[in-house]
Amino acid sequence: MTAYPFDEKELIPVRQDRLFYMPPQAPGIDVFRYPCDCKTAYKQAYKDRKPIWALTGIEGSIFAPRIIPDNVARGSVVDALPPVPETEYGGYDMFGVKWEWVPQVRGSMVRPGHPLMEDANDWKQVLKFPTKEEIDSWGWEQSARDNREFLARDKAYVMVMFTGCWYERLISFMEVQNAAVALIDEEQQAAVHEILDKTTELYCYLVDKIADTYGEGVSGIQIHDDWGTQRAPFFSPETARKMLVPHMKQLTAKIHERGMAAEIHSCGCNAIMVPCYIEAGWDIWTAQSDINDTVALAEQYGGQITIMVQDDYDPAGQSEEEQYQAGCRFAQKLCRPGVPVYYNYWSPSKALTPAYRKGFYAASRKIYQDM
């Protein structure tokens, strides 16, 4: 594996970049003179467990092509083509579930009160799964051509798959209350496993299509499956291990087989669920830093899973040198052999000033090169 000795000249910005969700008036973010491309840095951190520096999010971006029906239904298309007008968001996902776009929250939801089923045992008569032939007809070859230059940029692109294929998908079929009961109702659990067997099999097929279509342009797969509220998980770790983790393991194994990292985006105060995420084979948990003590969790589980972190440091009234040193201290606190660190740039962080980020980057580079 290539060694990358640190050079202070790396801290001289080569350009400014933007995260996809940043408003036009927000200032750009400095891109350092990295010793390798960002795809390599991401791969070495989360596939090989040999990080080169602690990432902060600017090195990557999400990819959500419009050919996957769920991305339009959920109102989240990120690809090389012109933006999809909001008036076209919503509609039917790949399972024929109708989503409604809500402009006020810039998201979509299934209108409550009309679940496809209330009992999981009815799934064979109710649910419609897309066939492999239907998936093959979505226009993959054209999408590969449309996005070739987009995915060739110096970014670690992560394919985001909204709604997921486990608890969130069950909610879209049954609504929250029925899905929650189905996980713990002994008379429905066998049917739930049958449903999740099929959704997981479908997503494994999608992972193969993604890998075959976009190749090394996609570095990771991120699945959304929210497990909790702001106070606690929706269900117990025991229920997660029994009902969800076995299916997750099947999909993360497929993602790893195809050379990509596996990210789980799971909202909620889910600290007690971290061992379940580890058992399921996830490389990264994109946790909510405002309701989880991500720093403590990263210190506890960092050798087994990367948990996106944020520093509670307040730079107000601090000099640039003090901010730089604060960034150094945070990297020194978390960076250790075989432990990738990922600063959560996706949620607003007052700590991550330009000077702080320089210190965080420089210290992580020095620590990891010595390992």
Side-chain angles (χ1 to χ4, degrees):
M1 193 168 291
T2 305
Y4 298 99
F6 177 63
D7 187 332
E8 291 286 345
K9 293 179 181 178
E10 292 175 28
L11 296 176
I12 302 173
V14 294
R15 66 178 188 279
Q16 287 197 322
D17 206 344
R18 310 178 65 80
L19 295 166
F20 75 95
Y21 61 83
M22 291 171 60
Q25 67 272 20
I29 301 167
D30 287 342
V31 174
F32 298 137
R33 201 177 300 272
Y34 302 129
C36 65
D37 64 86
C38 293
K39 286 182 173 64
T40 297
Y42 181 91
K43 175 179 179 294
Q44 249 183 243
Y46 303 112
K47 186 170 183 291
D48 303 328
R49 308 295 291 184
K50 298 289 185 182
I52 303 168
W53 71 87
L55 305 185
T56 57
I58 192 63
E59 302 90 348
S61 188
I62 73 169
F63 177 52
R66 64 196 66 202
I67 63 165
I68 298 177
D70 290 49
N71 294 338
V72 178
R74 294 301 311 275
S76 184
V77 171
V78 181
D79 61 15
L81 298 176
V84 174
E86 287 191 10
T87 53
E88 296 182 15
Y89 278 151
Y92 293 95
D93 66 19
M94 68 178 88
F95 293 91
V97 175
K98 188 175 182 180
W99 296 78
E100 294 188 22
W101 173 253
V102 183
Q104 293 87 343
V105 297
R106 298 190 56 76
S108 60
M109 63 179 293
V110 177
R111 181 175 287 274
H114 306 280
L116 296 183
M117 59 185 182
E118 296 183 2
D119 188 318
N121 291 296
D122 297 332
W123 76 271
K124 291 181 181 178
Q125 290 75 45
V126 174
L127 300 185
K128 180 182 180 299
F129 286 74
T131 65
K132 291 181 179 179
E133 290 74 21
E134 288 172 333
I135 293 172
D136 289 345
S137 71
W138 287 352
W140 296 91
E141 291 182 2
Q142 183 61 50
S143 181
R145 290 190 290 270
D146 291 339
N147 290 285
R148 185 171 292 114
E149 292 185 12
F150 179 80
L151 295 175
R153 296 187 300 178
D154 186 16
K155 291 274 190 182
Y157 283 98
V158 175
M159 171 76 80
V160 174
M161 308 187 80
F162 292 97
T163 309
C165 51
W166 307 295
Y167 186 58
E168 281 194 30
R169 187 64 71 176
L170 202 62
I171 289 173
S172 75
F173 297 152
M174 303 183 70
E175 294 194 346
V176 174
Q177 69 279 11
N178 298 320
V181 170
L183 287 184
I184 59 174
D185 181 359
E186 292 183 357
E187 295 184 358
Q188 295 187 67
Q189 286 178 332
V192 170
H193 277 302
E194 291 173 349
I195 295 168
L196 301 187
D197 278 340
K198 286 190 66 67
T199 55
T200 304
E201 178 185 357
L202 185 152
Y203 268 62
C204 285
Y205 188 73
L206 282 174
V207 168
D208 277 332
K209 292 295 293 186
I210 290 163
D212 291 341
T213 300
Y214 305 110
E216 294 186 359
V218 174
S219 299
I221 302 286
Q222 182 187 99
I223 307 292
H224 284 222
D225 206 47
D226 292 345
W227 280 12
T229 69
Q230 287 190 319
R231 295 183 177 182
F234 295 123
F235 39 79
S236 69
E238 292 72 27
T239 296
R241 286 190 173 96
K242 179 179 180 181
M243 301 303 298
L244 303 175
V245 167
H247 304 285
M248 286 185 162
K249 289 177 70 172
Q250 182 183 349
L251 184 60
T252 58
K254 169 59 72 173
I255 293 170
H256 292 146
E257 173 193 316
R258 297 310 306 258
M260 294 177 284
E263 297 189 10
I264 179 72
H265 177 93
S266 188
C267 288
C269 186
N270 297 334
I272 64 171
M273 294 300 200
V274 175
C276 296
Y277 298 141
I278 294 169
E279 291 170 28
W282 298 104
D283 301 301
I284 301 170
W285 173 32
T286 61
Q288 289 178 274
S289 301
D290 56 340
I291 58 175
N292 295 281
D293 189 345
T294 55
V295 175
L297 291 171
E299 290 184 291
Q300 181 177 0
Y301 296 108
Q304 302 169 77
I305 187 172
T306 296
I307 297 172
M308 281 192 170
V309 295
Q310 277 193 355
D311 192 354
D312 61 4
Y313 168 75
D314 188 348
Q318 302 289 299
S319 68
E320 288 193 357
E321 178 59 26
E322 288 170 323
Q323 294 172 36
Y324 181 95
Q325 293 302 326
C328 290
R329 288 193 299 271
F330 195 60
Q332 291 160 355
K333 181 181 180 71
L334 294 177
C335 297
R336 18 187 230 282
V339 179
V341 173
Y342 203 149
Y343 199 104
N344 188 358
Y345 219 137
W346 306 101
S347 298
S349 172
K350 61 184 177 183
L352 207 56
T353 63
Y356 180 103
R357 184 166 166 262
K358 279 188 176 183
F360 183 65
Y361 172 82
S364 71
R365 282 283 287 121
K366 293 172 185 176
I367 293 168
Y368 286 136
Q369 78 168 2
D370 291 342
M371 296 171 184

